[in-house]
Amino acid sequence: MIIETLTSPVILFFILGFFAACIRSDLTIPEPFAKAMSIYLMAAIGLKGGVEVASTGFSSELLSAAVAGIALGFTLPILAFFLLRSLGKLDAIDAGAVAAHYGSVSVVTFVTAIELLTGQGMRPDGFMVGVMALMETPAIITGLLLARAYAKKTELPSGASDNRDGGSSLIHEVLTNGSVILLLGAFAIGMVAGEARFEPIKPLFAIGFNGVLCLFLLDMGLIAARRLLQTKKITVPLASLAVLLPIINGSIGTLVGTLIGLDPGSAAILGVLSASASYIAVPAAMRLALPQADPGIYLSMSLGITFPFNIIFGISLFAALANFLAKFIG
Amino acid sequence: MIIETLTSPVILFFILGFFAACIRSDLTIPEPFAKAMSIYLMAAIGLKGGVEVASTGFSSELLSAAVAGIALGFTLPILAFFLLRSLGKLDAIDAGAVAAHYGSVSVVTFVTAIELLTGQGMRPDGFMVGVMALMETPAIITGLLLARAYAKKTELPSGASDNRDGGSSLIHEVLTNGSVILLLGAFAIGMVAGEARFEPIKPLFAIGFNGVLCLFLLDMGLIAARRLLQTKKITVPLASLAVLLPIINGSIGTLVGTLIGLDPGSAAILGVLSASASYIAVPAAMRLALPQADPGIYLSMSLGITFPFNIIFGISLFAALANFLAKFIG
Amino acid sequence: MIIETLTSPVILFFILGFFAACIRSDLTIPEPFAKAMSIYLMAAIGLKGGVEVASTGFSSELLSAAVAGIALGFTLPILAFFLLRSLGKLDAIDAGAVAAHYGSVSVVTFVTAIELLTGQGMRPDGFMVGVMALMETPAIITGLLLARAYAKKTELPSGASDNRDGGSSLIHEVLTNGSVILLLGAFAIGMVAGEARFEPIKPLFAIGFNGVLCLFLLDMGLIAARRLLQTKKITVPLASLAVLLPIINGSIGTLVGTLIGLDPGSAAILGVLSASASYIAVPAAMRLALPQADPGIYLSMSLGITFPFNIIFGISLFAALANFLAKFIG
Amino acid sequence: MVATVQRKRIEILVDTPLVPRIIAIAKKIDISGWSVIKIASGGGRDGRWDHDEITGAAAKSIVLMIASEEKAGSFADEVAPLLESHGLLITIGNVEVVRGDRF
Amino acid sequence: MVATVQRKRIEILVDTPLVPRIIAIAKKIDISGWSVIKIASGGGRDGRWDHDEITGAAAKSIVLMIASEEKAGSFADEVAPLLESHGLLITIGNVEVVRGDRF
Amino acid sequence: MVATVQRKRIEILVDTPLVPRIIAIAKKIDISGWSVIKIASGGGRDGRWDHDEITGAAAKSIVLMIASEEKAGSFADEVAPLLESHGLLITIGNVEVVRGDRF
Ligand SMILES: Nc1ncnc2c1ncn2[C@@H]1O[C@H](COP(=O)(O)O)[C@@H](O)[C@H]1O
Ligand SMILES: Nc1ncnc2c1ncn2[C@@H]1O[C@H](COP(=O)(O)O)[C@@H](O)[C@H]1O
Ligand SMILES: Nc1ncnc2c1ncn2[C@@H]1O[C@H](COP(=O)(O)O)[C@@H](O)[C@H]1O
Ligand code: NA
Ligand code: NA
Ligand code: NA
């Protein structure tokens, strides 16, 4: 499967972007265009998931997958936090911030995995989009609690930054996060509209999808490589953890998915979600809630190392693991 | 029809955006992307109208609809102006500016109406696109004349702002307005190219149309709700007028359309055009010609109240009225 | 063929943009949207070329076309340079900068030519995309060498601007230029992926192509006309050269293409490439390497005159010439 | 050290549709150039305002001009009547301009 | 010549996600308004940084405020504790504001 | 009141493709950082110019740097030879920087 992955145009565009940044080409994707593509991808994936659930109906797997996703979101940061402190030598603030990223999810990794798995006959269930949306934010809370519990008093934000509305504004920010609203909203629209009413808007959202994903991954390749080249904050232990954490979390996620009875495709996706690290929602929340944490560390790890690792190796790995576990356990 | 409207993805995306802004989500559509979508929508609607006229040929309805549209554009602001002064308690400057908005048209309301009417077997004539373009600007002139006639000397712009080139530059601005040029230009291209030459570019402009409209209305929902939440200028009488004026103007427009012999779909569209209020072309012209008028008032009314009202209720209303009048009069 | 050209929607949109700018309409295409379209067009044209080469295999024409293209890129600026100095009365710096533009290529002219030729049954070979990418940069080197050889000492950049890293950074800039990387990268992806793997991304890149080209040419029309209207630097001899140079270079290119055995469509495209003048890659390189050269001259000539000339007349001209030469020589 | 001259740095915060009017005034009193910077968002007496809108009427810009003290004064005089009606905000600061004799 | 008053021009360079926090402080001490300008790219102790990213967390902005000397002082006092943790850069300059009594 | 130090605010208006050259000079004389702001449109001796172009060659930017008087002087000296050929506009103003000892 890894060779099929590496000859897929979607992945080749990512590699092209990565390569272009490495030879320091001036190729850039205008930021509003990248944001537009990400809005399009989220709306499309949400709609398609919702339409699918509308035609298959609710199933018990949907509920157990949702509960498992939320539970993983809350608990995965704990292991990550202690590994980051012990092996990674990070202080509590930075470790909490990084752990929150690894407990949350990357939408583009998810979307790419859906495409690759579908291409190989392991199409995940439509409701996994909803599960992804639910997994975006719980880790933020765990990460913050860990940072606050273990940080020395002097390291914590003082004065204006952790005043009363600091906490409530963060909770508000987390619950009304743009990508969560868009994903769940498009999912709901897909469910309300159903297959028939989806027809007129299908061409844009279904036909254009793969091509847009190519251009978006071209940009992600540029961004990931530029992050890696610029950073001065990534030690060897941290770089290793940026590969180790997705392997650990992804294996846990795939196992949990198999145990709660998901089909191999959906279990693999739960693994990919667990393995992936956020680089949009969580960084913004961390900048607000833990401004002392160093963005150089969490962005370089999640965007510069974990994202490419998952795109190129992780997805194939968890697909193989899910197939293996399905035979073994099933 | 109102239930069909409320379960259409196009409208659901508008509601999603409105809802997201109400819970103060940080979801935003990058401005250049929104502008790109509006250019796309205008080019597509112009092209389709032109191609249609190329295949059906000119008809006498085309001419009478054009004359009716221009006449409505010039006269509708007059009633609005006096209602805004008496009921709305606005001074002459603000009343003139708001009246100009309600005499002009909203392209997106038009486009949404075309989609909804087509979906219900009431497809309007292709030439109505041309009528819309002609209705964009006459109201600006009426609104300005009213403001100048009724404003006290001291309220009017002094010194540099109403100097010689002020007037001529406004007329130039009105005649060369970007959206008018694009709509009429695409209409002309559609007519010159005809069905056969339109074929190669049809996929982008025809197939993608509905999906782009969804994303654009998502943005309009965000903008409309944010306008409403921010504003401190809207009194109860003004809010009522923002619902009353579209009902009055829309009914007049539908009636005129029926009387000049348009089919119900086209009569309904003439009603929708009359009911809709501009929020792109006219605000820019007013900022230039009547800088003393308060943008907080005219944008909140047209964007925050009238636009949502028309999208959700107005279109269905004028469709029903057109069907009723067709039976009654026809 | 010129009438077919003038009624093609692609060209009509260019004319619409040109006209809108001439009547000083405020119509504008947001810059990030224009950049997004140009990235899309380059990715699409690269992919399609690569996929085609993957299915037809390498041919000897590919190699000779590549060699011819590079040779033309290096040599065409020489004639241009001396014409610009003698007829155009430019100094060596400005003449070198302008010559570099005319030796390089315009991607949009190429893409438009592909569309027009394909529409008339003269579909060029897929590998011509690669040839275009190779022709983007050689002329920069020739132009610089000419400027340096003929400029007086005092005219040349002094101090910080031509220090050691100036040269190496220019060579780097030229080799890693974003559009070259994107074109060649997409070409390579198309070759690796092949027809079957191209299928899922084909809808976006193949179906939307013509429509996007329309909107892009609308913007080019606006830009070209605004350039022309703003400029105060274009003398009658320079304006004449901006028409003469594409005719000369395009005839040379078409002849060379025919002589090395290309089919008429591909020979015409080599003519179009030779005739076209860069307005993205070369201006940026010149601003860096020859900051004393006046952008008002080279942008007005290439963007304001040569681009419209090629789009409206040049392409038809070289197509006719290629057909004529094919009969005469073949 | 390289020669500098003392000039005024004029910053005018204005609704984007009115920028041409400001520039017309600047040209009238022969100010040599101007630069426009887009404002992303802002707020004032009317409360928060955001630029993420398709209606360009609400967009705001800063017009930046470097000019001599004399021209800056004439400019302020010319533009003052528009202050209220157009909602302008005009600030004038001192800067040294490197080799700036042409301004 | 038209009347001007002396005011402070405060410029705060800050990560975009933290802009609301700066504005909240400005409102607390009753500064009449603010304008936000987007930074396209930049660099500091961490080396070059570029804005072309989809992760808004790395975006930077300038918050520009015109205020009286007194309010500018209170603002600087209020915001100083955040300087280190939030990586702010705050500059205060003198400007003349045309008819600026309301600031 | 919080401590401030006196620094120079350097603003260089330059064609965007030449920004890296300006930054290279700033680094050479060890200026601690810089911020780049995009100019939306402008005009000078050449008449009106607009940024809405796909050819990046015509884009313009402002490079903003806070530096000590000494470094600002060295910077001006270094950059002066480029003034004519590169069409730069350089202004230097005074600002107070809050807790700005590192600049
Ligand atoms: N004191 C200030 N400092 C900086 N910008 C301001 C200030 N006051 C107002 N503004 C800007 O001017 C716009 C209009 O303000 P106002 O006229 O008070 O509604 C705001 O949106 C801000 O962008
Ligand atoms: N001396 C300076 N002048 C202007 N901007 C600066 C300066 N130092 C830092 N910056 C800006 O502040 C950001 C963060 O700088 P730093 O905190 O040094 O990493 C940079 O990306 C620049 O945009
Ligand atoms: N006096 C000025 N104040 C502010 N910006 C200026 C001034 N003069 C020129 N500029 C800017 O510098 C660019 C080039 O001007 P010039 O070199 O005169 O053609 C213009 O497009 C403006 O953006
Ligand atoms: Na995860
Ligand atoms: Na109306
Ligand atoms: Na050429």
Side-chain angles (χ1 to χ4, degrees):
Chain A
M1 174 162 172
I2 192 80
I3 279 163
E4 287 171 61
T5 299
L6 289 177
T7 55
S8 144
V10 171
I11 304 301
L12 289 171
F13 268 100
F14 178 77
I15 294 171
L16 174 59
F18 205 92
F19 169 78
C22 285
I23 61 168
R24 294 179 191 270
S25 164
D26 62 352
L27 182 61
T28 41
I29 309 291
E31 193 195 324
F33 179 39
K35 287 217 179 106
M37 290 195 289
S38 109
I39 287 167
Y40 166 85
L41 291 173
M42 288 193 285
I45 201 88
L47 278 172
K48 283 198 276 183
V51 168
E52 211 177 295
V53 170
S55 58
T56 63
F58 278 89
S59 65
S60 65
E61 279 104 30
L62 192 162
L63 196 73
S64 47
V67 171
I70 295 176
L72 286 166
F74 272 116
T75 54
L76 289 178
I78 301 175
L79 178 60
F81 181 79
F82 291 106
L83 286 174
L84 288 160
R85 294 208 69 180
S86 55
L87 299 184
K89 309 272 175 255
L90 293 183
D91 65 27
I93 304 259
D94 281 328
V98 176
H101 286 73
Y102 281 87
S104 178
V105 300
S106 146
V107 178
V108 182
T109 310
F110 173 83
V111 168
T112 311
I114 295 275
E115 288 310 308
L116 294 177
L117 291 171
T118 305
Q120 283 142 34
M122 290 178 68
R123 184 131 185 276
D125 276 318
F127 59 70
M128 292 306 293
V129 181
V131 175
M132 170 181 65
L134 296 175
M135 285 178 78
E136 285 229 31
T137 50
I140 296 176
I141 293 159
T142 310
L144 281 185
L145 292 178
L146 287 167
R148 297 218 165 145
Y150 286 84
K152 296 183 206 87
K153 275 274 131 53
T154 55
E155 295 169 354
L156 273 173
S158 67
S161 55
D162 70 341
N163 52 12
R164 293 113 258 139
D165 49 62
S168 77
S169 85
L170 180 76
I171 287 177
H172 179 260
E173 150 105 17
V174 157
L175 293 179
T176 64
N177 177 284
S179 58
V180 174
I181 297 285
L182 182 54
L183 279 166
L184 291 181
F187 191 80
I189 292 176
M191 292 215 309
V192 171
E195 190 72 54
R197 285 165 184 291
F198 180 54
E199 212 52 50
I201 61 169
K202 192 169 175 177
L204 183 76
F205 289 113
I207 296 183
F209 194 78
N210 265 285
V212 172
L213 187 57
C214 286
L215 293 180
F216 194 73
L217 281 174
L218 174 67
D219 191 32
M220 292 300 300
L222 290 165
I223 290 172
R226 283 188 185 136
R227 257 287 140 207
L228 264 191
L229 292 172
Q230 270 172 40
T231 194
K232 298 166 183 168
K233 305 278 177 64
I234 294 302
T235 59
V236 174
L238 287 178
S240 315
L241 279 172
V243 171
L244 203 62
L245 284 175
I247 296 181
I248 297 175
N249 289 351
S251 304
I252 296 175
T254 312
L255 182 63
V256 168
T258 312
L259 289 176
I260 62 173
L262 298 180
D263 59 275
S266 301
I269 276 289
L270 194 63
V272 169
L273 286 173
S274 305
S276 73
S278 170
Y279 48 81
I280 299 186
V282 181
M286 287 302 129
R287 209 66 201 91
L288 216 61
L290 285 180
Q292 305 88 335
D294 186 339
I297 298 176
Y298 51 71
L299 286 175
S300 302
M301 287 182 69
S302 92
L303 208 51
I305 304 180
T306 302
F307 181 77
F309 171 77
N310 277 328
I311 292 290
I312 297 183
F313 302 104
I315 296 171
S316 307
L317 187 67
F318 307 122
L321 181 62
N323 278 328
F324 173 78
L325 289 177
K327 280 191 208 116
F328 193 75
I329 296 179
Chain B
M1 174 160 174
I2 192 78
I3 279 163
E4 286 172 60
T5 299
L6 289 177
T7 55
S8 144
V10 170
I11 303 302
L12 289 171
F13 269 101
F14 178 77
I15 294 171
L16 174 60
F18 204 92
F19 169 77
C22 285
I23 60 168
R24 294 181 193 268
S25 165
D26 62 353
L27 182 62
T28 42
I29 309 291
E31 192 194 324
F33 178 40
K35 286 216 179 108
M37 290 196 289
S38 107
I39 288 167
Y40 165 85
L41 291 172
M42 288 192 285
I45 201 89
L47 279 170
K48 284 198 275 183
V51 168
E52 209 176 298
V53 170
S55 59
T56 62
F58 279 89
S59 65
S60 65
E61 279 105 30
L62 193 162
L63 197 72
S64 46
V67 171
I70 295 176
L72 286 166
F74 273 115
T75 53
L76 288 179
I78 301 175
L79 177 58
F81 180 78
F82 290 106
L83 286 174
L84 288 159
R85 293 209 70 182
S86 54
L87 299 184
K89 309 269 176 256
L90 293 184
D91 66 28
I93 304 258
D94 282 328
V98 176
H101 285 73
Y102 281 87
S104 178
V105 299
S106 147
V107 178
V108 181
T109 309
F110 173 81
V111 168
T112 311
I114 296 275
E115 288 311 307
L116 294 178
L117 292 171
T118 305
Q120 283 142 31
M122 290 178 69
R123 183 130 185 278
D125 275 319
F127 59 70
M128 292 306 293
V129 181
V131 175
M132 169 180 64
L134 296 175
M135 285 177 79
E136 285 229 30
T137 49
I140 296 175
I141 294 159
T142 309
L144 280 184
L145 292 178
L146 287 167
R148 297 218 166 147
Y150 286 84
K152 296 183 206 85
K153 273 275 130 51
T154 54
E155 296 169 354
L156 272 173
S158 67
S161 56
D162 71 341
N163 54 12
R164 296 111 258 140
D165 48 64
S168 78
S169 84
L170 180 77
I171 288 177
H172 179 260
E173 151 107 15
V174 158
L175 293 180
T176 64
N177 177 284
S179 58
V180 175
I181 297 285
L182 182 53
L183 279 167
L184 291 180
F187 190 81
I189 292 176
M191 292 215 311
V192 171
E195 191 73 55
R197 285 166 184 290
F198 180 55
E199 211 54 49
I201 60 170
K202 191 169 175 178
L204 183 74
F205 289 112
I207 296 184
F209 194 78
N210 264 286
V212 172
L213 186 57
C214 284
L215 293 181
F216 194 73
L217 281 175
L218 174 67
D219 191 32
M220 292 300 300
L222 290 165
I223 290 172
R226 285 191 183 133
R227 258 286 140 208
L228 264 191
L229 293 172
Q230 270 171 40
T231 194
K232 298 167 184 167
K233 306 278 176 64
I234 294 301
T235 60
V236 173
L238 287 178
S240 315
L241 279 172
V243 171
L244 203 62
L245 284 174
I247 296 180
I248 298 175
N249 290 350
S251 304
I252 296 175
T254 311
L255 182 64
V256 168
T258 311
L259 289 176
I260 62 172
L262 298 181
D263 58 274
S266 302
I269 276 290
L270 195 62
V272 169
L273 287 173
S274 305
S276 72
S278 171
Y279 49 81
I280 300 186
V282 181
M286 286 303 129
R287 210 65 202 90
L288 216 60
L290 285 179
Q292 304 87 337
D294 186 339
I297 298 175
Y298 51 70
L299 286 175
S300 301
M301 286 182 71
S302 93
L303 207 52
I305 304 180
T306 302
F307 181 78
F309 171 78
N310 278 328
I311 292 291
I312 297 184
F313 302 105
I315 297 171
S316 307
L317 186 68
F318 307 122
L321 181 63
N323 277 329
F324 173 79
L325 289 177
K327 280 191 208 116
F328 193 77
I329 297 179
Chain C
M1 172 159 174
I2 192 78
I3 279 162
E4 286 172 60
T5 299
L6 290 178
T7 54
S8 143
V10 171
I11 303 301
L12 288 172
F13 269 100
F14 179 78
I15 294 172
L16 173 60
F18 204 92
F19 168 76
C22 285
I23 62 167
R24 295 179 190 270
S25 164
D26 62 353
L27 182 62
T28 42
I29 309 291
E31 194 196 324
F33 179 40
K35 288 217 178 106
M37 290 195 288
S38 109
I39 288 168
Y40 165 85
L41 292 173
M42 287 193 285
I45 200 89
L47 278 170
K48 283 197 275 182
V51 169
E52 210 177 297
V53 171
S55 60
T56 63
F58 278 89
S59 65
S60 65
E61 279 105 30
L62 192 162
L63 197 73
S64 47
V67 171
I70 295 176
L72 285 165
F74 273 116
T75 54
L76 289 178
I78 301 175
L79 178 59
F81 181 79
F82 291 106
L83 287 173
L84 288 159
R85 294 210 67 181
S86 55
L87 300 184
K89 307 271 176 256
L90 293 183
D91 66 27
I93 304 258
D94 282 329
V98 176
H101 285 73
Y102 281 87
S104 178
V105 299
S106 146
V107 178
V108 181
T109 310
F110 173 82
V111 167
T112 311
I114 295 275
E115 288 310 308
L116 294 178
L117 291 172
T118 304
Q120 284 142 32
M122 290 179 69
R123 183 129 184 278
D125 276 317
F127 59 72
M128 292 306 293
V129 181
V131 174
M132 169 181 64
L134 296 174
M135 285 178 78
E136 284 228 31
T137 49
I140 296 175
I141 295 158
T142 309
L144 281 183
L145 292 178
L146 287 167
R148 297 219 166 145
Y150 287 83
K152 296 184 207 84
K153 274 275 130 51
T154 54
E155 294 169 354
L156 273 173
S158 67
S161 56
D162 69 342
N163 53 12
R164 296 112 256 141
D165 49 62
S168 77
S169 84
L170 181 76
I171 289 178
H172 179 261
E173 150 107 16
V174 158
L175 293 179
T176 63
N177 177 284
S179 57
V180 175
I181 297 284
L182 181 54
L183 278 167
L184 291 181
F187 190 81
I189 291 175
M191 291 215 310
V192 170
E195 190 73 55
R197 285 165 184 291
F198 180 55
E199 211 54 48
I201 61 169
K202 192 169 175 176
L204 183 75
F205 290 112
I207 296 184
F209 194 79
N210 263 286
V212 173
L213 187 56
C214 284
L215 294 180
F216 194 73
L217 281 174
L218 174 67
D219 191 33
M220 292 300 300
L222 290 165
I223 291 172
R226 283 188 185 137
R227 256 291 138 204
L228 264 191
L229 292 172
Q230 270 170 40
T231 194
K232 299 166 182 168
K233 305 280 175 65
I234 294 301
T235 60
V236 173
L238 287 178
S240 316
L241 279 172
V243 170
L244 203 62
L245 284 175
I247 296 181
I248 298 175
N249 289 350
S251 305
I252 296 175
T254 311
L255 182 64
V256 169
T258 312
L259 290 176
I260 62 173
L262 298 180
D263 59 275
S266 302
I269 276 289
L270 194 62
V272 169
L273 287 173
S274 306
S276 74
S278 170
Y279 49 80
I280 299 186
V282 181
M286 287 303 128
R287 210 66 202 89
L288 217 60
L290 285 180
Q292 305 86 337
D294 186 339
I297 299 175
Y298 51 71
L299 286 175
S300 302
M301 287 181 69
S302 92
L303 207 52
I305 304 180
T306 303
F307 181 78
F309 172 78
N310 277 327
I311 291 290
I312 297 183
F313 303 103
I315 297 171
S316 307
L317 186 68
F318 306 122
L321 181 62
N323 278 329
F324 173 78
L325 289 177
K327 280 192 206 114
F328 193 76
I329 297 179
Chain D
M1 220 194 104
V2 70
T4 61
V5 291
Q6 175 95 33
R7 288 288 177 270
K8 293 291 176 185
R9 181 182 189 277
I10 315 169
E11 224 174 29
I12 306 117
L13 199 144
V14 57
D15 282 13
T16 304
L18 297 175
V19 166
R21 200 158 289 176
I22 301 298
I23 292 170
I25 295 175
K27 279 186 175 159
K28 208 166 103 187
I29 57 173
D30 211 34
I31 288 181
S32 71
W34 73 90
S35 300
V36 179
I37 298 169
K38 220 175 112 177
I39 291 192
S41 66
R45 290 158 302 174
D46 295 358
R48 190 186 177 76
W49 147 81
D50 244 306
H51 189 173
D52 265 313
E53 300 219 347
I54 47 156
T55 151
K60 285 180 213 301
S61 296
I62 286 176
V63 182
L64 176 68
M65 296 185 298
I66 309 299
S68 65
E69 173 149 19
E70 194 201 320
K71 283 184 184 169
S74 323
F75 179 80
D77 290 347
E78 280 279 337
V79 102
L82 302 182
L83 267 183
E84 279 314 305
S85 63
H86 291 56
L88 305 179
L89 167 56
I90 305 177
T91 68
I92 303 179
N94 291 315
V95 286
E96 302 284 318
V97 180
V98 179
R99 289 217 198 131
D101 320 271
R102 71 178 171 95
F103 295 100
Chain E
M1 220 194 105
V2 68
T4 61
V5 290
Q6 175 96 34
R7 288 288 177 269
K8 293 292 174 184
R9 181 183 188 277
I10 315 169
E11 224 174 29
I12 306 117
L13 200 145
V14 58
D15 282 13
T16 303
L18 297 175
V19 166
R21 200 157 289 175
I22 301 298
I23 291 170
I25 296 175
K27 279 186 175 160
K28 208 166 102 188
I29 56 173
D30 211 34
I31 288 181
S32 71
W34 73 91
S35 300
V36 179
I37 298 169
K38 220 175 113 177
I39 291 192
S41 66
R45 291 158 302 174
D46 295 358
R48 190 186 176 75
W49 147 81
D50 245 305
H51 189 172
D52 265 314
E53 300 218 347
I54 46 153
T55 151
K60 284 180 214 302
S61 297
I62 287 176
V63 182
L64 176 68
M65 297 185 298
I66 310 299
S68 65
E69 174 149 18
E70 195 202 320
K71 284 186 184 169
S74 322
F75 178 80
D77 290 347
E78 279 280 337
V79 102
L82 304 181
L83 267 183
E84 280 313 305
S85 63
H86 292 57
L88 305 179
L89 169 56
I90 305 177
T91 68
I92 302 178
N94 291 316
V95 285
E96 302 284 319
V97 181
V98 179
R99 288 219 200 132
D101 320 87
R102 69 178 172 94
F103 294 100
Chain F
M1 219 194 104
V2 69
T4 61
V5 291
Q6 175 96 33
R7 288 289 177 268
K8 292 292 176 185
R9 181 182 188 277
I10 316 169
E11 224 173 30
I12 307 117
L13 199 144
V14 59
D15 282 13
T16 304
L18 297 174
V19 166
R21 199 156 289 175
I22 301 298
I23 291 170
I25 295 175
K27 280 186 175 159
K28 208 166 103 188
I29 56 173
D30 210 34
I31 287 180
S32 71
W34 72 91
S35 300
V36 180
I37 298 169
K38 220 174 111 177
I39 291 192
S41 66
R45 291 158 302 175
D46 294 359
R48 190 185 177 76
W49 148 81
D50 246 304
H51 189 173
D52 265 312
E53 300 219 347
I54 47 153
T55 151
K60 284 181 214 299
S61 297
I62 286 176
V63 182
L64 176 68
M65 296 185 298
I66 309 299
S68 66
E69 172 148 22
E70 195 203 319
K71 283 185 184 169
S74 322
F75 179 80
D77 290 348
E78 278 280 336
V79 101
L82 303 182
L83 268 183
E84 279 314 305
S85 63
H86 291 58
L88 305 180
L89 168 56
I90 305 177
T91 68
I92 303 179
N94 291 314
V95 285
E96 303 284 318
V97 181
V98 180
R99 289 217 198 132
D101 320 86
R102 70 179 173 94
F103 294 100

